[in-house]
Each structure stands twice: as structure tokens, then as C-alpha cells.
Amino acid sequence: MKFSNRKSDESVDKRVQFLLDSIYEKEGFRCKRPNDEKIDKRGVDIMLHSPNTDSILWDEKCATHYWDRNLDTFSCELTCNRTKDHLGWFAQERNGYSATTHYMFVWVRALEKELVHISSLELALINKHDLQTYFRLSADCNADTPTSEVITKLFGQTPVVEVNKNLKVRKCEIFPEFPVNAIFSKELLLDMAIWSKTYDRFEVRDAIVAHKAKLFKEREELRK
């Protein structure tokens, strides 16, 4: 049995947030972190504003616990025993409350679990509705089918069901959540992405240095 890793080190979370902010700035994204508890609970980490489109509200999903290996998938939580309704953040029933329009999937490689020295970084921004639609169609279910029925339909006696080459559904023995996850291939996620990019360690370093310089300059101007 695996135990929950949800209480991740706070310093790692802050380091990843700073890293991603540096990348967003490098790419010229006009975005901000709301830093509002109510919005955060509704799944929004980043608000991206564009003069030509509606705002994109994305939830960052970073595979920090796979810092030491190449990960060719990403897990999306369908059920979770720790929530009141036993539903995970990827369950379609959550859409009425979640304000998220997109997911930013992040694959990170580093020299240590504290993520101080980043080896590479890969990001993929994906429309949540498109990914949920792909899941439902692959599972041969319609939009009105409850998540619990989808899972009952898929599972037999095995803890893992291979729906197709790009999707598996797995029951995980992670205490106390015992989640059921939809596991999508990285290949599929990159194909579905509306934006994606890979950065080597030098590009990551330069982005962080530039972001630090900008913040320092802004602080100095405020002191004048």
C-alpha cells in the first residue's frame, strides 16, 4: 500500500510556482495568479487574459514526484475517498463548481527531489472539456453517465483497465484517498494541446534569472 503524498513540501511547491511564473513571463503570457482562496478551491491557479478570446483559467498539474524519471503519461483523478462526494478533480460532475477551463500539465526532471536544479521541463496546455469528451467517448459513455457508472462499467476483477493505447483506468492503493485515475499517454496529451513546449536546463536557468531581475527592478522602483 502506498501512502498519500498530497502534503508535499511547501518549499518545493513555491519553487515550482516561481519556475512556472518565470516560464510564463519568458513566453510573454499576460497572466496572473489570483491568490484567492475561493478561486483556488475552484481549481484556478492561473488566469490568462487575451484581447481576442475569453480568459483561459488553468489548473496547474505538475508531476513533481517523478522528478527522476521519464514519465510518458499523466493521471487525472476520477474518484477520491477524501472528498465528500468521493469525486476527483477530473470528474465531470465537478464542472458545475470548478471554474477551470484548461489544464496545464507539467513534466519536470531535476537532479534532486527538492527541484533545485532543473534538468528539463515540458508543458502542455489542454482544454478540459476536450479531454473529458475524449475520456467519455473512449469509455463509450455519454455526457449524462455518472462517473461511478463509468467506473463500474469499465472494471471487472482487475485493478487496471486498458481502454485503448492512449488511455488506462487504474484503481490506486494510496491511503487514504484510494483514487481511481484516468491515465492518458503523453503522446495523446501533446497532440491535444493548444500550446506545448519543452525547455532544457539552460533555457530554464535563463528564464529564472530574467524573472528574478524583473522582480528586483520592480521592488527598486517602488522604493523610489
Side-chain angles (χ1 to χ4, degrees):
M1 179 183 293
K2 294 183 179 180
F3 288 85
S4 173
N5 54 25
R6 285 173 181 262
K7 294 183 178 179
S8 57
D9 183 47
E10 191 173 310
S11 63
V12 172
D13 292 340
K14 290 181 178 179
R15 192 171 293 119
V16 170
Q17 179 176 306
F18 190 88
L19 166 63
L20 294 177
D21 286 347
S22 301
I23 293 297
Y24 301 152
E25 184 175 283
K26 172 182 173 66
E27 295 300 330
F29 291 162
R30 296 177 57 233
C31 59
K32 68 175 183 178
R33 292 186 183 274
N35 293 319
D36 184 299
E37 185 177 354
K38 291 182 179 179
I39 298 177
D40 181 67
K41 287 182 177 179
R42 296 187 68 187
V44 178
D45 292 316
I46 292 291
M47 303 174 71
L48 175 67
H49 299 286
S50 170
N52 301 319
T53 62
D54 294 333
S55 294
I56 295 176
L57 310 176
W58 73 65
D59 186 358
E60 292 171 338
K61 299 298 182 183
C62 188
T64 55
H65 295 282
Y66 296 89
W67 59 271
D68 60 343
R69 71 201 80 169
N70 287 321
L71 183 66
D72 59 3
T73 60
F74 218 107
S75 295
C76 295
E77 191 179 75
L78 291 166
T79 68
C80 174
N81 284 359
R82 288 191 67 177
T83 62
K84 291 181 180 180
D85 53 12
H86 287 191
L87 292 173
W89 52 264
F90 189 64
Q92 64 180 9
E93 291 93 335
R94 284 293 179 90
N95 290 342
Y97 178 72
S98 173
T100 303
T101 62
H102 292 70
Y103 297 124
M104 179 68 84
F105 293 111
V106 182
W107 294 267
V108 58
R109 293 294 305 274
L111 301 183
E112 65 288 295
K113 65 179 181 180
E114 292 80 14
L115 305 186
V116 176
H117 301 95
I118 304 298
S119 305
S120 65
L121 187 71
E122 190 164 7
L123 288 80
L125 183 62
I126 298 174
N127 184 292
K128 178 177 73 172
H129 174 75
D130 291 346
L131 190 59
Q132 289 180 329
T133 298
Y134 175 87
F135 173 77
R136 291 199 307 271
L137 292 176
S138 298
D140 195 23
C141 295
N142 58 48
D144 299 325
T145 307
T147 297
S148 59
E149 289 186 18
V150 176
I151 293 172
T152 299
K153 176 181 178 181
L154 289 174
F155 281 107
Q157 301 299 316
T158 174
V160 182
V161 175
E162 184 170 349
V163 180
N164 57 47
K165 68 174 186 177
N166 290 311
L167 172 62
K168 294 181 181 179
V169 180
R170 174 177 293 170
K171 295 179 179 179
C172 302
E173 293 188 354
I174 301 176
F175 177 83
E177 291 92 359
F178 296 107
V180 173
N181 293 326
I183 304 174
F184 297 98
S185 72
K186 186 177 183 180
E187 181 181 0
L188 171 72
L189 296 176
L190 292 176
D191 283 343
M192 293 186 67
I194 65 171
W195 176 87
S196 64
K197 198 163 183 179
T198 302
Y199 306 87
D200 62 29
R201 61 190 179 98
F202 300 109
E203 292 169 318
V204 170
R205 178 202 61 192
D206 292 346
I208 291 175
V209 170
H211 188 50
K212 286 181 177 178
K214 180 184 178 183
L215 294 178
F216 178 79
K217 182 178 180 180
E218 290 174 349
R219 285 195 296 266
E220 290 298 305
E221 290 177 348
L222 288 174
R223 292 174 182 173
K224 294 179 180 180

